[in-house]
């Protein structure tokens, strides 16, 4: 299995027959995923097995009102409008559900949220959970923001960082950036620019 950024120029095998058991998500994959990414409304990441589309998730920039948080659970010093990353959709093919693939996708999304918080700032990861997914997200630390359907849930950036040893990720990310910058400098020197 490999996870990669969704490429709108690629025709993914299995995308049109994708079935995660949720008709809304299935329809989104078949009719809207490519359009949303092409128009920069969302960024998507796809999980492929033998070049077949078996899972995905989307991330969107988003904001929520500070008053959305319960006073008891509200992180301190929030501005009136709180920037977050929204997990718009996440789906795993029915044939491989129950094998930890959804957690793997969510972990990758969390790593991206950590990176976003490093370069632009964000308070955490927000999502709207369908009834059948609430238990999955609750087990992973998401907290409901208010009673509604679908259920708005939130995972604070500090919780994400603490739960996945994100400092190691950031250090690796910084080291990779340094190597990339050095490679670019050497390339520029070799071209005489």
């Amino acid at each position: 299995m490999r996870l990669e950024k969704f490429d709108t120029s690629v025709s993914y095998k299995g995308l049109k027959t994708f079935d995660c058991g949720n008709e809304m998500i299935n329809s989104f994959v078949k009719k809207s995923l490519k359009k949303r990414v092409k128009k920069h409304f969302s960024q998507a990441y796809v999980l492929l097995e033998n070049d077949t589309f078996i899972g995905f998730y989307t991330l969107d920039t988003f904001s929520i009102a500070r008053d959305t948080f319960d006073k008891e659970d509200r992180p301190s010093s929030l501005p009136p409008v709180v920037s977050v990353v929204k997990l718009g959709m996440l789906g795993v093919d029915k044939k491989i559900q129950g094998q930890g693939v959804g957690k793997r996708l969510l972990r990758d999304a969390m790593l991206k949220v950590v990176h976003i918080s490093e370069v632009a700032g964000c308070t955490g990861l927000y999502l709207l959970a369908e009834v059948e997914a609430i238990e999955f997200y609750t087990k992973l630390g998401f907290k409901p923001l208010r009673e509604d359907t679908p259920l708005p849930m939130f995972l604070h950036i500090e919780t994400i960082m603490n739960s996945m040893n994100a400092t190691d990720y950031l250090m690796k990310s910084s080291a990779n950036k340094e190597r990339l910058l050095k490679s670019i400098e050497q390339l520029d020197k070799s071209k005489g620019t």
Side-chain angles (χ1 to χ4, degrees), residues 28-29 34 42 49 55 60-61 74 89 101 119 129 177:
F28 172 82
V29 167
K34 191 172 198 171
S42 297
E49 184 171 55
D60 311 331
T61 56
R74 185 181 299 167
M89 294 275 176
V101 176
V119 297
K177 285 183 220 168

Side-chain angles (χ1 to χ4, degrees), residues 108-175:
D108 188 72
M110 288 181 193
L111 287 171
K112 286 178 177 50
V113 171
V114 169
H115 180 72
I116 291 166
S117 76
E118 179 188 39
V119 297
C122 74
T123 309
L125 187 57
Y126 171 82
L127 58 86
L128 297 171
E130 296 294 327
V131 173
E132 62 274 6
I134 293 171
E135 184 180 349
F136 172 76
Y137 291 115
T138 301
K139 285 181 180 177
L140 295 169
F142 282 83
K143 304 284 186 213
L145 294 178
R146 66 178 180 279
E147 289 302 316
D148 207 347
T149 304
L151 183 66
M153 300 184 84
F154 181 76
L155 188 61
H156 194 277
I157 189 66
E158 290 176 10
T159 305
I160 295 170
M161 293 177 81
N162 291 337
S163 71
M164 56 188 358
N165 206 358
T167 50
D168 287 345
Y169 166 77
L170 291 175
M171 288 172 64
K172 287 177 189 170
S173 173
S174 296

Side-chain angles (χ1 to χ4, degrees), residues 69-137:
F69 294 91
D70 285 336
K71 288 189 179 188
E72 302 84 48
D73 292 330
R74 185 181 299 167
S76 61
S77 305
L78 286 179
V81 177
V82 181
S83 61
V84 296
V85 174
K86 181 180 178 187
L87 180 69
M89 294 275 176
L90 184 147
V92 175
D93 194 282
K94 284 195 307 189
K95 294 176 226 146
I96 59 166
Q97 288 178 3
Q99 299 177 28
V101 176
K103 287 180 189 173
R104 177 180 171 192
L105 291 173
L106 190 57
R107 178 175 171 75
D108 188 72
M110 288 181 193
L111 287 171
K112 286 178 177 50
V113 171
V114 169
H115 180 72
I116 291 166
S117 76
E118 179 188 39
V119 297
C122 74
T123 309
L125 187 57
Y126 171 82
L127 58 86
L128 297 171
E130 296 294 327
V131 173
E132 62 274 6
I134 293 171
E135 184 180 349
F136 172 76
Y137 291 115

Side-chain angles (χ1 to χ4, degrees), residues 9 11 17 23 43 46 49 51 62 68 137 141 169 185-186:
S9 68
S11 292
T17 57
E23 196 48 47
Q43 192 51 259
V46 297
E49 184 171 55
D51 293 324
F62 202 71
T68 304
Y137 291 115
Y169 166 77
E185 286 174 14
Q186 289 174 346

